[in-house]
Every structure is written in C-alpha cells, then in structure tokens.
C-alpha cells in the first residue's frame, strides 16, 4: 500500500425513476461547486457504457472524490450537508420527490504502484 494517507471515495448514484436528467443537472449546476467549496477534490464523473451497444446508462452516475484522509472526508461531508446553499438546492430540486433513489460508496486507497495517489 502507498505510504501516504490520501483516500478516494467512489460513489454511485442511482437516479429515481424518470429523474436522471435532474440528478445530472444538480451536479452540473450546483453540487460540483459545493464539493470544491468544502475541500473535496473531484477526480471525475462517469456514466456506465454498455459494452455491446455503446449506449450510456444515464440513470447511474459514478464519481470519485479524493480527500487528504478519512477525517478530512468526514469533516467535508459534515460541512457540505449543513451548508445553507446545499440545503436550498436539495430542497428546490426535490420539491417533486427525491431525485436519487440509492447511493453506493466505496473507499479506496492507492497501491504503492498506482500512478494516481
């Protein structure tokens, strides 16, 4: 394992039925800026690609964030969750119900041979 303490978090969001475009719009227009505001490093955002057809599955959003360590991750999410701007954006975007049905999260640590640490 790498000797540094940097931690990555891979998150997969499953859009509520019929709400995928709203989920992507919220990330595009608000969430990314709020992540940066609270010290989260955005590594990237992806949608799964069907290997046979080449079609994307817009109902899923996979993204990776990086933090200096797990405590920094906890502090960043606490600050994000209590940010008045986030609360306003979330409430406004969910006035017709939740736009995210499920979130999966996996924490990752770089190996000593990983080019990204």
């Amino acid at each position: 394992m790498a000797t540094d303490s940097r931690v990555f978090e891979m998150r997969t969001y499953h859009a509520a039925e019929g709400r995928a475009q709203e989920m992507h719009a919220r990330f595009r227009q608000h969430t990314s800026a709020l992540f940066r505001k609270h010290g989260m490093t955005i590594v990237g955002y992806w949608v799964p690609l069907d290997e046979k057809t080449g079609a994307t599955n817009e109902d899923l959003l996979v993204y990776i964030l990086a933090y200096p360590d797990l405590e920094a991750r906890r502090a960043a999410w606490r600050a994000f969750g209590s940010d008045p701007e986030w609360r306003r954006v979330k409430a406004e975007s969910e006035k017709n119900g939740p736009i995210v049905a499920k979130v999966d999260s996996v924490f990752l640590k770089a190996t000593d041979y990983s080019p990204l640490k």
Side-chain angles (χ1 to χ4, degrees), residues 3 6 14 41 49 67 69 73 75 83 97 114:
T3 57
R6 191 165 175 198
H14 303 255
T41 300
L49 185 64
Y67 318 91
D69 54 37
R73 185 260 179 208
D83 187 303
S114 175

Side-chain angles (χ1 to χ4, degrees), residues 19 22 26 88-97 99:
R19 309 291 302 270
E22 293 167 273
R26 185 167 76 186
R88 181 192 66 74
V89 165
K90 184 175 183 340
E92 187 176 293
S93 64
E94 295 185 344
K95 62 185 170 216
N96 295 320
I99 61 175

Side-chain angles (χ1 to χ4, degrees), residues 37-93:
K37 174 182 176 183
H38 293 291
M40 301 174 191
T41 300
I42 302 165
V43 176
Y45 295 105
W46 300 268
V47 292
L49 185 64
D50 182 280
E51 159 182 334
K52 293 179 181 138
T53 67
T56 59
N57 181 353
E58 298 287 329
D59 290 334
L60 295 176
L61 171 65
V62 178
Y63 67 96
I64 296 178
L65 299 174
Y67 318 91
D69 54 37
L70 282 173
E71 183 49 43
R73 185 260 179 208
R74 285 189 281 274
W77 278 99
R78 274 193 307 269
F80 175 85
S82 63
D83 187 303
E85 176 69 7
W86 166 245
R87 289 181 177 200
R88 181 192 66 74
V89 165
K90 184 175 183 340
E92 187 176 293
S93 64

